[in-house]
């Protein structure tokens, strides 16, 4: 694991610090007896973080054959720590212990990872953390294609460009609460600057009474934001690992997709971990024969997930 990432959670490995941190979160969320409750959840919170980091540490040194399992279960542990900051009774029932996602059990001979789908179930960890952390409900029965999920991770866009000659996004430049981005995005979205303002207000996840302001400065839009988007909760903005900001070129991809990036990673890693465990022949052929087009996307994505997920979790906690 990157030494910088290793330091992300260091303060939480003090029971005194973690209890104070949890007490403050419980007070913010009006949870009864916040101080007493933090004493009960503190150890579990710290162990989830510790176990998550251990999975990621070992994921960084194992071959790609095993990496999806370690990254996915490391991520699950970190997610559970996040949930405990909002839901001290987790897990309150066995319903939230399942992953809450399903995929096709048998892969056909023509199987292609990018075309594969996962389906959301009514109960389980996925729906629970979406509800608690993002107030997103009613995902039961929704299906998500792997290609769509990968398109919504900014760090993947350079690979799409190299392989498919496909530019997926416009990169912006961010200073404080302003973003500067090519005015060509207005043509891509078939919008005026005024309509684009309304679009951003309607599609931004952060609820605020302040308004966006968009002005066209000689081919470059200056967008004044009500507040700076956070890397873990940024829709419709996308952030890469370096903290650079992007907007997808195709507004239809944005309009029809409301998942936060942490949910995107969950679905991708769930499917990859299932393939790794239960589709040994396909997984082995992928890695050792380089057949088809899936390998570069999977290998590049796993590198990104390994580096970026601890950063997203840290951003949520702090």
């Amino acid at each position: 694991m990157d030494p910088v990432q290793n330091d992300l959670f260091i303060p939480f490995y003090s029971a005194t610090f973690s209890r104070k941190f949890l007490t403050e979160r419980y007070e913010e969320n009006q949870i009864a007896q916040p101080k007493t409750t933090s004493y009960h959840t503190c150890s579990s919170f710290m162990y989830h973080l510790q176990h998550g980091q251990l999975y990621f540490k070992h994921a960084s040194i194992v071959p790609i054959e095993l990496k999806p399992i370690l990254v996915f279960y490391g991520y699950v542990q970190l997610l559970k720590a996040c949930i405990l900051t909002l839901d001290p009774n987790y897990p309150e029932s066995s319903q939230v212990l399942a992953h809450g996602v399903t995929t096709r059990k048998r892969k056909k001979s023509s199987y292609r990872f990018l075309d594969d789908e996962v389906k959301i179930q009514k109960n389980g960890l996925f729906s629970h953390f979406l509800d608690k952390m993002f107030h997103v409900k009613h995902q039961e029965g929704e299906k998500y294609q792997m290609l769509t999920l990968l398109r919504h991770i900014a760090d993947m866009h350079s690979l799409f460009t190299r392989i498919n000659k496909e530019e997926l996004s416009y990169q912006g430049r961010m200073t404080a609460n302003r973003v500067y981005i090519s005015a060509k995005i207005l043509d891509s979205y078939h919008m005026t600057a005024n309509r684009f303002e309304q679009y951003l207000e309607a599609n931004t996840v952060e609820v605020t009474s302040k308004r966006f302001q968009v002005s066209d400065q000689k081919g470059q839009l200056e967008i004044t934001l009500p507040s700076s988007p956070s890397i873990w909760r940024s829709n419709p903005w996308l952030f890469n690992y370096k903290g650079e900001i992007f907007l997808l070129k195709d507004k239809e991809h944005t309009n029809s997709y409301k998942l936060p990036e942490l949910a995107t990673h969950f679905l991708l890693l769930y499917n990859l971990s299932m393939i790794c465990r239960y589709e040994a022949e396909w997984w082995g052929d992928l890695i050792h024969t380089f057949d088809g087009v899936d390998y570069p996307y999977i290998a590049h994505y796993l590198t990104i997930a390994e580096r970026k997920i601890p950063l997203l979790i840290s951003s949520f906690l702090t």
Side-chain angles (χ1 to χ4, degrees), residues 114 150 156 159-160 163-164 293-301:
L114 295 179
L150 291 170
M156 294 295 300
L159 185 64
F160 277 99
I163 293 178
N164 296 338
V293 297
D294 288 328
Y295 182 82
Y297 291 98
I298 291 172
H300 186 52
Y301 169 69

Side-chain angles (χ1 to χ4, degrees), residues 2 46 48 58 72 86 96 100 142 155 169 193 232 247 253 275 278:
D2 187 325
M46 290 193 297
H48 280 311
H58 287 285
F72 178 62
L86 301 164
V96 296
E142 290 287 334
D155 311 75
S169 58
W232 67 275
L247 275 176
H253 287 154
I275 291 167
Y278 300 115

Side-chain angles (χ1 to χ4, degrees), residues 1-6 52-54 56-58 60-61 306 310:
M1 179 180 277
D2 187 325
V4 175
Q5 292 181 26
N6 207 30
Q53 281 205 283
L54 279 172
F56 274 91
K57 180 180 178 180
H58 287 285
S60 69
I61 58 175
E306 197 180 323

Side-chain angles (χ1 to χ4, degrees), residues 22-33:
L22 289 169
T23 298
E24 289 169 356
R25 291 293 174 275
Y26 296 155
E27 286 172 347
E28 287 171 12
N29 290 285
Q30 300 180 326
I31 290 168
Q33 299 180 302

Side-chain angles (χ1 to χ4, degrees), residues 15 26 71 131 139 144 146 177 195 225-227 236 258 292 318:
Y26 296 155
V71 176
D131 178 20
Q139 283 285 313
Y144 291 94
M146 298 300 104
N177 68 325
R195 176 69 189 91
L225 310 174
S227 59
K258 303 300 181 186
T318 57

Side-chain angles (χ1 to χ4, degrees), residues 96-299:
V96 296
L97 291 175
H99 292 134
V101 185
T102 186
T103 185
R104 282 199 299 255
K105 294 296 181 285
R106 293 295 302 169
K107 310 303 182 189
K108 297 176 182 176
S109 57
S110 59
Y111 174 75
R112 184 170 177 250
F113 175 75
L114 295 179
D115 295 332
D116 199 7
E117 291 182 334
V118 289
K119 184 178 179 181
I120 312 306
Q121 296 176 317
K122 182 177 182 180
N123 299 308
L125 177 60
F126 183 78
S127 297
H128 192 70
F129 91 78
L130 270 186
D131 178 20
K132 294 297 179 183
M133 293 169 62
F134 299 97
H135 311 295
V136 173
K137 300 180 187 290
H138 311 305
Q139 283 285 313
E140 182 187 0
E142 290 287 334
K143 293 180 180 179
Y144 291 94
Q145 188 188 49
M146 298 300 104
L147 180 62
T148 301
L149 296 171
L150 291 170
R151 284 172 178 270
H152 283 84
I153 296 175
D155 311 75
M156 294 295 300
H157 292 182
S158 60
L159 185 64
F160 277 99
T161 301
R162 289 183 68 187
I163 293 178
N164 296 338
K165 305 293 187 287
E166 183 181 11
E167 296 281 351
L168 292 182
S169 58
Y170 290 105
Q171 182 175 347
R173 178 172 59 85
M174 192 168 180
T175 59
N177 68 325
R178 284 189 174 84
V179 175
Y180 300 88
I181 200 164
S182 171
K184 290 179 181 177
I185 197 165
L186 297 180
D187 295 330
S188 296
Y189 283 31
H190 306 294
M191 292 179 181
T192 62
N194 184 54
R195 176 69 189 91
F196 189 57
E197 260 180 31
Q198 297 169 7
Y199 168 82
L200 289 175
E201 286 177 6
N203 286 278
T204 297
V205 293
E206 299 286 0
V207 178
T208 176
S209 57
K210 297 179 183 177
R211 296 180 62 83
F212 285 81
Q213 292 181 333
V214 178
S215 59
D216 193 340
Q217 308 283 342
K218 297 179 180 177
Q220 182 174 243
L221 295 185
E222 180 186 83
I223 305 168
T224 304
L225 310 174
S227 59
S228 298
S230 54
I231 188 172
W232 67 275
R233 186 187 178 102
S234 58
N235 292 19
W237 307 98
L238 302 178
F239 284 94
N240 66 10
Y241 177 78
K242 298 175 184 176
E244 296 165 333
I245 194 167
F246 300 80
L247 275 176
L248 286 170
K249 280 189 171 184
D250 188 341
K251 80 172 188 295
E252 297 309 317
H253 287 154
T254 303
N255 290 349
S256 61
Y257 191 92
K258 303 300 181 186
L259 292 181
E261 185 170 343
L262 281 169
T264 304
H265 286 295
F266 187 98
L267 297 178
L268 283 163
L269 289 170
Y270 167 80
N271 199 18
L272 283 170
S273 70
M274 293 293 283
I275 291 167
C276 177
R277 281 178 287 167
Y278 300 115
E279 298 295 335
E281 184 179 355
W282 186 87
W283 184 241
D285 285 347
L286 173 82
I287 293 164
H288 298 294
T289 67
F290 305 108
D291 191 28
V293 297
D294 288 328
Y295 182 82
Y297 291 98
I298 291 172

